[in-house]
Amino acid sequence: MDGQPLTIEHFNERFQRWSGADIIITKHELNDEDTTVMHLDHIAYGTDATRLDEYLPMHSLFLYGEGEAEIGPQQMEPLPAPYYEIPLQDTTQYIYSRDAFVLTTDRATYTIEKR
């Protein structure tokens, strides 16, 4: 993907400016695509050093705010929690491309754009 690679620090600095915006999060995983629409209140990071297996992320990006997840064509339902969690890894790539942030992990690619 074309775009500007970012460090986690530069990603955080730029993405913090989106607090208060309406955003669309698209998660691409294998042959599946999920879309979430939310009003981004604020972002935070978390660390779970007590994780029991490698499937659970040690680090996560939490997007706090109210939103809806697409559950089918033209069908949305409220998020089950007041945040959207993106697992982060040491190998996560952060890219800013065409007014969107793209985070690529070993398991999925997340595109975050303003609505």
Side-chain angles (χ1 to χ4, degrees), residues 33-104:
E33 182 176 291
D34 298 318
T35 302
T36 300
V37 177
M38 71 183 305
H39 178 78
L40 181 62
D41 182 50
H42 68 280
I43 69 171
Y45 296 88
T47 300
D48 183 3
T50 63
R51 64 191 177 140
L52 299 176
D53 60 47
E54 290 184 14
Y55 186 76
L56 298 172
M58 179 175 284
H59 305 286
S60 293
L61 169 63
F62 293 95
L63 311 179
Y64 285 91
E66 292 186 22
E68 298 177 312
E70 186 176 50
I71 59 169
Q74 304 297 317
Q75 293 181 304
M76 303 291 280
E77 74 176 21
L79 291 176
Y83 61 85
Y84 184 93
E85 180 179 2
I86 298 177
L88 302 176
Q89 303 161 315
D90 291 340
T91 58
T92 298
Q93 296 177 4
Y94 305 88
I95 302 213
Y96 185 75
S97 177
R98 298 186 192 103
D99 298 324
F101 291 99
V102 179
L103 283 68
T104 303

Side-chain angles (χ1 to χ4, degrees), residues 4-21:
Q4 178 184 4
L6 302 171
T7 63
I8 180 68
E9 294 83 8
H10 285 115
F11 163 76
N12 180 57
E13 181 183 305
R14 285 187 177 193
F15 193 48
Q16 288 284 355
R17 297 179 200 155
W18 284 25
S19 291

Side-chain angles (χ1 to χ4, degrees), residues 13-31:
E13 181 183 305
R14 285 187 177 193
F15 193 48
Q16 288 284 355
R17 297 179 200 155
W18 284 25
S19 291
D22 292 328
I23 61 171
I24 300 169
I25 307 157
T26 307
K27 176 185 174 188
H28 307 274
E29 185 176 27
L30 298 175
N31 294 328

